[in-house]
């Protein structure tokens, strides 16, 4: 489901699914450049351990953020970092499954490769390193 974005937010392509949430947004935690990045995370709060609880920007921050509907924790929409100072807690990145094309391969041959949190973050950030604030390639 694509959501209408709060007028206070500069984010776009915001979506909430049962398993994951996504947005193209500016970093609001200060860890990354102030350019647009895509963040896709499991729809799960690491603090209160609820699923399907993340809400888009209910507090109307300029960059946009994910907020837990149960415990009110706030997370950066770019890297999933908890915005409570010094917590070191992150949302879990979610890899959207790609459609499987029927062929003669066995399930062992098509098993997805699991990437670490750091590898996924590096992949996402590397994709958008040449995009400035206006979304134009440098």
């Amino acid at each position: 489901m694509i959501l209408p974005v709060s007028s206070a937010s500069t984010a776009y392509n915001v979506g909430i699914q049962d398993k994951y949430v996504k947005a193209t947004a500016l970093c609001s935690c200060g860890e990354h450049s102030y350019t647009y990045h895509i963040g896709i995370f499991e729809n799960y709060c690491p603090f209160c351990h609820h699923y399907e609880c993340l809400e888009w920007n209910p507090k109307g921050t300029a960059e946009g953020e994910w907020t837990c509907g149960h415990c009110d924790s706030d997370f950066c929409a770019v890297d999933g970092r908890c915005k409570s100072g010094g917590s070191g807690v992150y949302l879990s990145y979610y890899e959207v499954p790609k459609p499987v094309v029927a062929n003669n391969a066995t399930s062992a041959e098509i098993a997805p490769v699991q990437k670490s949190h750091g590898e996924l973050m590096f992949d996402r950030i590397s994709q958008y390193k040449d995009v400035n604030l206006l979304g134009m390639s440098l």
Side-chain angles (χ1 to χ4, degrees):
M1 157 185 11
I2 299 293
L3 300 176
V5 178
S6 164
S7 60
S9 173
T10 58
Y12 58 97
N13 293 334
V14 177
I16 298 177
Q17 303 294 323
D18 291 342
K19 293 185 178 187
Y20 67 94
V21 294
K22 69 175 184 168
T24 303
L26 298 168
C27 180
S28 62
C29 71
E31 287 294 309
H32 303 286
S33 62
Y34 201 69
T35 59
Y36 284 94
H37 304 275
I38 297 173
I40 304 173
F41 306 100
E42 183 178 12
N43 193 346
Y44 168 79
C45 178
F47 284 112
C48 67
H49 307 290
H50 280 93
Y51 287 89
E52 299 179 26
C53 60
L54 296 179
E55 300 173 358
W56 176 251
N57 205 27
K59 297 169 186 163
T61 64
E63 297 85 2
E65 64 187 9
W66 294 108
T67 299
C68 176
H70 290 278
C71 70
D72 206 37
S73 297
D74 298 321
F75 302 90
C76 176
V78 170
D79 62 11
R81 180 180 183 201
C82 176
K83 292 171 69 176
S84 174
S87 75
V89 175
Y90 287 78
L91 295 174
S92 297
Y93 280 107
Y94 184 84
E95 191 73 31
V96 179
K98 298 199 178 356
V100 176
V101 177
N103 61 24
N104 293 331
T106 65
S107 60
E109 293 174 18
I110 59 172
V113 176
Q114 296 289 353
K115 291 187 175 184
S116 72
H117 179 77
E119 289 172 319
L120 289 170
M121 185 184 306
F122 181 77
D123 290 349
R124 294 224 194 307
I125 292 169
S126 295
Q127 286 179 313
Y128 301 98
K129 68 179 188 258
D130 295 331
V131 177
N132 69 14
L133 181 62
L134 300 175
M136 302 169 66
S137 294
L138 298 174

